[in-house]
mmCIF file of all heavy atoms in Angstrom:
data_model
loop_
_atom_site.group_PDB
_atom_site.id
_atom_site.type_symbol
_atom_site.label_atom_id
_atom_site.label_comp_id
_atom_site.label_asym_id
_atom_site.label_seq_id
_atom_site.Cartn_x
_atom_site.Cartn_y
_atom_site.Cartn_z
ATOM 1 N N SER P 431 -34.864 49.527 25.210
ATOM 2 C CA SER P 431 -35.293 49.505 26.615
ATOM 3 C C SER P 431 -36.511 50.408 26.818
ATOM 4 O O SER P 431 -37.279 50.214 27.755
ATOM 5 C CB SER P 431 -34.144 49.863 27.556
ATOM 6 O OG SER P 431 -33.625 51.125 27.240
ATOM 7 N N ARG P 432 -36.704 51.385 25.925
ATOM 8 C CA ARG P 432 -37.923 52.215 25.979
ATOM 9 C C ARG P 432 -39.122 51.432 25.449
ATOM 10 O O ARG P 432 -40.156 51.340 26.097
ATOM 11 C CB ARG P 432 -37.715 53.485 25.149
ATOM 12 C CG ARG P 432 -37.790 54.753 25.949
ATOM 13 C CD ARG P 432 -37.860 56.026 25.116
ATOM 14 N NE ARG P 432 -37.422 55.928 23.740
ATOM 15 C CZ ARG P 432 -36.185 56.254 23.311
ATOM 16 N NH1 ARG P 432 -35.286 56.679 24.164
ATOM 17 N NH2 ARG P 432 -35.878 56.168 22.037
ATOM 18 N N GLN P 433 -38.918 50.816 24.242
ATOM 19 C CA GLN P 433 -40.014 50.073 23.600
ATOM 20 C C GLN P 433 -40.493 48.915 24.475
ATOM 21 O O GLN P 433 -41.675 48.601 24.501
ATOM 22 C CB GLN P 433 -39.542 49.494 22.261
ATOM 23 C CG GLN P 433 -39.624 50.477 21.105
ATOM 24 C CD GLN P 433 -38.906 49.936 19.876
ATOM 25 O OE1 GLN P 433 -38.430 48.800 19.867
ATOM 26 N NE2 GLN P 433 -38.838 50.740 18.829
ATOM 27 N N ALA P 434 -39.552 48.246 25.131
ATOM 28 C CA ALA P 434 -39.907 47.052 25.911
ATOM 29 C C ALA P 434 -39.828 47.344 27.407
ATOM 30 O O ALA P 434 -39.488 46.484 28.203
ATOM 31 C CB ALA P 434 -38.994 45.896 25.527
ATOM 32 N N ALA P 435 -40.199 48.576 27.778
ATOM 33 C CA ALA P 435 -40.114 48.992 29.189
ATOM 34 C C ALA P 435 -40.966 48.106 30.093
ATOM 35 O O ALA P 435 -40.706 48.002 31.297
ATOM 36 C CB ALA P 435 -40.544 50.451 29.320
ATOM 37 N N TYR P 436 -41.963 47.407 29.532
ATOM 38 C CA TYR P 436 -42.864 46.542 30.315
ATOM 39 C C TYR P 436 -42.115 45.413 31.031
ATOM 40 O O TYR P 436 -42.624 44.808 31.969
ATOM 41 C CB TYR P 436 -43.952 45.950 29.416
ATOM 42 C CG TYR P 436 -43.425 45.219 28.201
ATOM 43 C CD1 TYR P 436 -42.968 43.902 28.315
ATOM 44 C CD2 TYR P 436 -43.372 45.834 26.946
ATOM 45 C CE1 TYR P 436 -42.468 43.227 27.209
ATOM 46 C CE2 TYR P 436 -42.873 45.165 25.850
ATOM 47 C CZ TYR P 436 -42.421 43.864 25.977
ATOM 48 O OH TYR P 436 -41.914 43.205 24.889
ATOM 49 N N VAL P 437 -40.871 45.131 30.585
ATOM 50 C CA VAL P 437 -40.054 44.096 31.230
ATOM 51 C C VAL P 437 -39.921 44.379 32.726
ATOM 52 O O VAL P 437 -39.841 43.467 33.546
ATOM 53 C CB VAL P 437 -38.671 44.046 30.541
ATOM 54 C CG1 VAL P 437 -37.642 43.308 31.382
ATOM 55 C CG2 VAL P 437 -38.793 43.399 29.167
ATOM 56 N N ARG P 438 -39.939 45.663 33.087
ATOM 57 C CA ARG P 438 -39.755 46.050 34.489
ATOM 58 C C ARG P 438 -40.959 45.699 35.346
ATOM 59 O O ARG P 438 -40.860 45.643 36.568
ATOM 60 C CB ARG P 438 -39.446 47.547 34.572
ATOM 61 C CG ARG P 438 -38.141 47.878 33.870
ATOM 62 C CD ARG P 438 -37.583 49.236 34.266
ATOM 63 N NE ARG P 438 -36.226 49.388 33.795
ATOM 64 C CZ ARG P 438 -35.891 49.785 32.565
ATOM 65 N NH1 ARG P 438 -36.835 50.067 31.688
ATOM 66 N NH2 ARG P 438 -34.629 49.875 32.209
ATOM 67 N N GLU P 439 -42.138 45.460 34.689
ATOM 68 C CA GLU P 439 -43.360 45.129 35.443
ATOM 69 C C GLU P 439 -43.158 43.900 36.324
ATOM 70 O O GLU P 439 -43.743 43.790 37.393
ATOM 71 C CB GLU P 439 -44.533 44.868 34.480
ATOM 72 C CG GLU P 439 -45.051 46.120 33.799
ATOM 73 C CD GLU P 439 -46.013 45.805 32.653
ATOM 74 O OE1 GLU P 439 -46.526 44.666 32.590
ATOM 75 O OE2 GLU P 439 -46.227 46.706 31.814
ATOM 76 N N TRP P 440 -42.364 42.920 35.847
ATOM 77 C CA TRP P 440 -42.126 41.721 36.669
ATOM 78 C C TRP P 440 -40.697 41.709 37.236
ATOM 79 O O TRP P 440 -40.179 40.677 37.631
ATOM 80 C CB TRP P 440 -42.410 40.436 35.884
ATOM 81 C CG TRP P 440 -41.589 40.267 34.630
ATOM 82 C CD1 TRP P 440 -40.324 39.738 34.544
ATOM 83 C CD2 TRP P 440 -41.966 40.606 33.290
ATOM 84 N NE1 TRP P 440 -39.889 39.739 33.239
ATOM 85 C CE2 TRP P 440 -40.891 40.261 32.445
ATOM 86 C CE3 TRP P 440 -43.113 41.180 32.713
ATOM 87 C CZ2 TRP P 440 -40.934 40.472 31.055
ATOM 88 C CZ3 TRP P 440 -43.146 41.373 31.336
ATOM 89 C CH2 TRP P 440 -42.060 41.027 30.538
ATOM 90 N N GLY P 441 -40.071 42.884 37.273
ATOM 91 C CA GLY P 441 -38.732 42.988 37.860
ATOM 92 C C GLY P 441 -37.614 42.567 36.925
ATOM 93 O O GLY P 441 -36.474 42.366 37.366
ATOM 94 N N GLY P 442 -37.933 42.428 35.621
ATOM 95 C CA GLY P 442 -36.902 42.057 34.639
ATOM 96 C C GLY P 442 -35.918 43.202 34.418
ATOM 97 O O GLY P 442 -36.258 44.367 34.637
ATOM 98 N N ARG P 443 -34.689 42.868 34.030
ATOM 99 C CA ARG P 443 -33.663 43.885 33.791
ATOM 100 C C ARG P 443 -33.057 43.704 32.400
ATOM 101 O O ARG P 443 -32.909 42.583 31.918
ATOM 102 C CB ARG P 443 -32.524 43.759 34.818
ATOM 103 C CG ARG P 443 -32.959 43.662 36.276
ATOM 104 C CD ARG P 443 -33.348 45.002 36.864
ATOM 105 N NE ARG P 443 -32.263 45.977 36.871
ATOM 106 C CZ ARG P 443 -31.373 46.104 37.852
ATOM 107 N NH1 ARG P 443 -31.410 45.272 38.880
ATOM 108 N NH2 ARG P 443 -30.451 47.039 37.808
ATOM 109 N N PHE P 444 -32.668 44.832 31.798
ATOM 110 C CA PHE P 444 -31.959 44.779 30.515
ATOM 111 C C PHE P 444 -30.458 44.670 30.755
ATOM 112 O O PHE P 444 -29.936 45.261 31.707
ATOM 113 C CB PHE P 444 -32.241 46.026 29.680
ATOM 114 C CG PHE P 444 -33.644 46.071 29.159
ATOM 115 C CD1 PHE P 444 -34.596 46.884 29.768
ATOM 116 C CD2 PHE P 444 -34.018 45.293 28.080
ATOM 117 C CE1 PHE P 444 -35.902 46.910 29.294
ATOM 118 C CE2 PHE P 444 -35.319 45.322 27.601
ATOM 119 C CZ PHE P 444 -36.260 46.134 28.211
ATOM 120 N N VAL P 445 -29.789 43.928 29.873
ATOM 121 C CA VAL P 445 -28.344 43.745 29.979
ATOM 122 C C VAL P 445 -27.730 44.044 28.616
ATOM 123 O O VAL P 445 -28.274 43.641 27.592
ATOM 124 C CB VAL P 445 -28.010 42.279 30.375
ATOM 125 C CG1 VAL P 445 -26.505 42.084 30.525
ATOM 126 C CG2 VAL P 445 -28.718 41.879 31.661
ATOM 127 N N VAL P 446 -26.616 44.788 28.589
ATOM 128 C CA VAL P 446 -25.879 44.967 27.326
ATOM 129 C C VAL P 446 -24.537 44.237 27.437
ATOM 130 O O VAL P 446 -23.913 44.236 28.497
ATOM 131 C CB VAL P 446 -25.626 46.454 26.965
ATOM 132 C CG1 VAL P 446 -26.895 47.125 26.482
ATOM 133 C CG2 VAL P 446 -25.014 47.216 28.118
ATOM 134 N N PRO P 447 -24.094 43.592 26.348
ATOM 135 C CA PRO P 447 -22.840 42.840 26.389
ATOM 136 C C PRO P 447 -21.600 43.681 26.082
ATOM 137 O O PRO P 447 -20.482 43.304 26.431
ATOM 138 C CB PRO P 447 -23.032 41.789 25.286
ATOM 139 C CG PRO P 447 -23.981 42.411 24.304
ATOM 140 C CD PRO P 447 -24.844 43.371 25.084
ATOM 141 N N ILE P 448 -21.777 44.836 25.406
ATOM 142 C CA ILE P 448 -20.676 45.637 24.862
ATOM 143 C C ILE P 448 -20.835 47.072 25.342
ATOM 144 O O ILE P 448 -21.965 47.555 25.354
ATOM 145 C CB ILE P 448 -20.727 45.618 23.303
ATOM 146 C CG1 ILE P 448 -20.661 44.183 22.766
ATOM 147 C CG2 ILE P 448 -19.661 46.511 22.668
ATOM 148 C CD1 ILE P 448 -19.310 43.510 22.929
ATOM 149 N N PRO P 449 -19.783 47.811 25.709
ATOM 150 C CA PRO P 449 -18.359 47.434 25.713
ATOM 151 C C PRO P 449 -17.990 46.414 26.790
ATOM 152 O O PRO P 449 -17.007 45.711 26.644
ATOM 153 C CB PRO P 449 -17.644 48.759 25.958
ATOM 154 C CG PRO P 449 -18.650 49.640 26.583
ATOM 155 C CD PRO P 449 -19.988 49.230 26.061
#
Side-chain angles (χ1 to χ4, degrees):
S431 58
R432 242 191 341 264
Q433 276 169 5
Y436 54 81
V437 163
R438 297 197 168 84
E439 288 169 17
W440 59 85
R443 311 282 299 272
F444 290 102
V445 181
V446 286
I448 302 289

